Amino acid sequence: MPPVPPPLPFYYVAASMEQRCDHFNALNADTFQQRYLVNDTFWGGPGAPILLYTGAEGDGIESVFAHSGYVLELARELKALAVFSEMRFFGVSMPYGEHDSFERRPERLGLLSIEQTLADNAHLVTELRTTYKTKASRVVALGGSLAGTLAFLLRAKYPALVHAALAASAPIFGYANLTDPYGWYRVATATFEKQVPGCPHAVRAAFAALLEASPTAVSKAYDTCRPADDSTGRRIAQLMTDKLSAMATAAYPKVFSPVLAACKAVMTQPGVGAFAPLLVPAGACFNVSTLHSVPEGLRMPPSAHARLARGAPGQHFSGASTADLAWFYLACTEIVHPIAANNRTDMFPPFEWDPHALARTCHQLFGVTPRLSWIPESMGMAAGPRALASVTSRVIFSNGLLDPWSAQSLTANASRSLVALNMADGSHHSDLGSWGNPWPGRGDSDDLVRVRREELALLRQWLAEDDHGPPAC
């Protein structure tokens, strides 16, 4: 386990502001309280920058703050006000409360969208400038993963409010016809091979043995609490696909990488039960009733499939968290990442990304049809990286190349002010902070230190530029 951060002399103050439930409908004047966290320890006062972490999926903004220590380091260096916004429909920022917000109606769950989220953040910027009497403060949007995508989009859509952005591990090209669906698992497999040579071969063999095994052999190998049936091996394989691939997103720092322990287990005990040490606690039987089939078409790692599947469609998803419901709704509408496996360029059992199956499942779950191309078409990514310079400027795209999401991110400069910074040994938003490295420390790799130094230098340079400064390309 990674070490616990030492007590910090600075933390945050929780606050909230009134947001419109629907920014784009004048006939709906309903409002809700959006929560955000503020740290003003290093702020230089009116005119000094504002760093805005643009929300994220998950259980609440506190968990994001807890592993994003580099944001506070940037605040120290830039004498900035650090603000972490909570995304609507996550945490306690519910437009109509925890239950009513998820009613399948246009004026309830239909208000969870990227456009509404960006407008929330834009309004928050204006309110912060008023509250802190700092109209001249330049804003840097930043975030990792979905929050990284939001940071890029916020800079692109509201350039008068947001001066620059740092988009870490942001899969902005993770859409149909813009990415190779097999890229995600290909990078995950390469990460396993890099950290434990030969491991992908053992994992591939373990999946093959499991999927070919009889129910009796599966029951014996996994010491199941009740007899396995014909679907048990397949469902274990689905579970292990999600577990193993998610490990690649947390592969930095290597000393804490879950890939190491997983490979040791699989390579020590080959055959049908190779995954048993990763699933079955010592001295216990394996409760196969906890296994659930992945909803058709909704295969995306890291996933909340098992938790979502506890509630059958049409039965209010009993057992699924609000965070799961909100994420799956986004995955059924605008955040539609094509991800597939082929067992040739990767080590996982093959499955295809099927937009038709996705549409059927999303209609069953939420009554919606995915808008596969809306975000890239409306926000300028559809024409590819070379066209981004006509969309925006002053954005850093950072990537850990061990991270499978790097397969759907910008990994090469698109212009002089759309800059890609890559960490060969980094994983999911390692620069901003993650589970294994929640704050900067002496053990940071040379690669990570270099990228953070370059990020700081670029932000200093851009904060000194006006909007008529050096051209984007």
Side-chain angles (χ1 to χ4, degrees):
M1 295 290 289
V4 176
L8 300 176
F10 46 85
Y11 209 54
Y12 62 78
V13 173
S16 63
M17 66 165 289
E18 189 174 52
Q19 289 279 12
R20 294 184 68 97
C21 293
D22 188 345
H23 291 280
F24 310 111
N25 182 0
L27 295 175
N28 183 350
D30 294 349
T31 62
F32 73 101
Q33 292 295 311
Q34 181 192 16
R35 184 170 55 163
Y36 61 95
L37 310 180
V38 180
N39 183 292
D40 63 0
T41 304
F42 309 111
W43 191 42
I50 297 172
L51 302 180
L52 175 61
Y53 195 106
T54 47
E57 77 280 17
D59 296 328
I61 196 61
E62 293 98 334
S63 63
V64 175
F65 183 96
H67 65 63
S68 301
Y70 184 59
V71 176
L72 295 184
E73 185 63 26
L74 282 175
R76 184 203 304 270
E77 293 287 343
L78 298 172
K79 295 181 171 56
L81 183 72
V83 180
F84 290 71
S85 69
E86 186 166 77
M87 187 175 178
R88 58 169 54 206
F89 284 81
F90 293 95
V92 299
S93 298
M94 298 288 175
Y96 291 98
E98 189 169 319
H99 180 267
D100 291 354
S101 293
F102 289 90
E103 293 179 4
R104 284 176 23 171
R105 295 160 54 191
E107 66 274 18
R108 291 295 186 268
L109 187 54
L111 297 177
L112 173 55
S113 71
I114 296 304
E115 292 87 347
Q116 298 281 4
T117 299
L118 294 176
D120 286 343
N121 281 303
H123 186 207
L124 176 56
V125 168
T126 64
E127 286 297 304
L128 289 169
R129 284 175 166 166
T130 299
T131 299
Y132 287 88
K133 299 179 175 59
T134 182
K135 296 290 187 182
S137 286
R138 288 177 165 173
V139 175
V140 176
L142 72 173
S145 198
L146 174 58
T149 297
L150 291 173
F152 159 70
L153 296 178
L154 190 64
R155 164 63 182 151
K157 190 171 181 66
Y158 296 99
L161 295 175
V162 176
H163 191 73
L166 197 174
S169 299
I172 66 167
F173 292 111
Y175 293 91
N177 302 317
L178 293 177
T179 190
D180 176 4
Y182 302 115
W184 204 99
Y185 281 106
R186 182 174 63 245
V187 175
T189 300
T191 295
F192 272 69
E193 178 65 30
K194 181 174 181 178
Q195 294 203 330
V196 184
C199 185
H201 176 77
V203 169
R204 188 179 284 109
F207 275 125
L210 173 61
L211 292 170
E212 293 171 0
S214 67
T216 301
V218 171
S219 289
K220 181 178 180 181
Y222 288 85
D223 193 16
T224 59
C225 301
R226 68 181 190 190
D229 60 28
D230 289 338
S231 71
T232 303
R234 173 177 52 81
R235 288 183 289 148
I236 291 175
Q238 288 179 344
L239 175 62
M240 287 310 305
T241 295
D242 285 347
K243 281 184 173 292
L244 293 173
S245 58
M247 291 176 187
T249 69
Y252 178 88
K254 185 176 180 180
V255 65
F256 300 130
S257 173
V259 170
L260 306 183
C263 287
K264 180 179 180 181
V266 173
M267 297 172 81
T268 300
Q269 182 178 307
V272 177
F275 301 128
L278 303 176
L279 295 176
V280 187
C285 61
F286 184 37
N287 184 4
V288 294
S289 66
T290 62
L291 294 170
H292 300 275
S293 295
V294 174
E296 185 183 20
L298 263 179
R299 196 61 177 271
M300 73 196 87
S303 71
H305 295 130
R307 293 192 296 275
L308 180 66
R310 293 187 189 121
Q315 296 180 3
H316 305 291
F317 306 104
S318 60
S321 70
T322 56
D324 290 344
L325 296 180
W327 173 243
F328 270 82
Y329 182 78
L330 286 171
C332 275
T333 51
E334 296 177 324
I335 305 298
V336 189
H337 297 310
I339 297 175
N342 58 25
N343 200 236
R344 296 187 302 276
T345 60
D346 60 68
M347 64 188 181
F348 300 97
F351 68 90
E352 294 301 318
W353 182 71
D354 184 347
H356 302 293
L358 176 66
R360 289 193 297 271
T361 296
C362 291
H363 182 76
Q364 183 183 21
L365 297 181
F366 300 112
V368 299
T369 300
R371 303 178 76 182
L372 301 180
S373 302
W374 170 244
I375 291 296
E377 288 178 352
S378 64
M379 297 303 298
M381 298 96 81
R386 292 185 179 181
L388 283 186
S390 66
V391 175
T392 191
S393 61
R394 293 197 292 261
V395 182
I396 299 167
F397 296 92
S398 61
N399 303 282
L401 298 184
L402 298 179
D403 178 21
W405 290 110
S406 66
Q408 300 187 353
S409 304
L410 183 74
T411 55
N413 294 354
S415 74
R416 287 202 298 270
S417 66
L418 295 173
V419 180
L421 298 177
N422 301 321
M423 299 162 281
D425 62 355
S427 51
H428 205 45
H429 48 74
S430 297
D431 51 338
L432 295 185
S434 61
W435 177 81
N437 63 314
W439 77 102
R442 296 177 182 175
D444 291 339
S445 71
D446 292 344
D447 223 15
L448 177 55
V449 171
R450 171 189 58 80
V451 163
R452 285 174 170 166
R453 185 186 304 117
E454 292 181 29
E455 289 172 347
L456 178 59
L458 283 168
L459 292 179
R460 284 192 196 279
Q461 174 189 327
W462 292 344
L463 284 168
E465 292 178 1
D466 61 33
D467 286 319
H468 305 288
C473 59

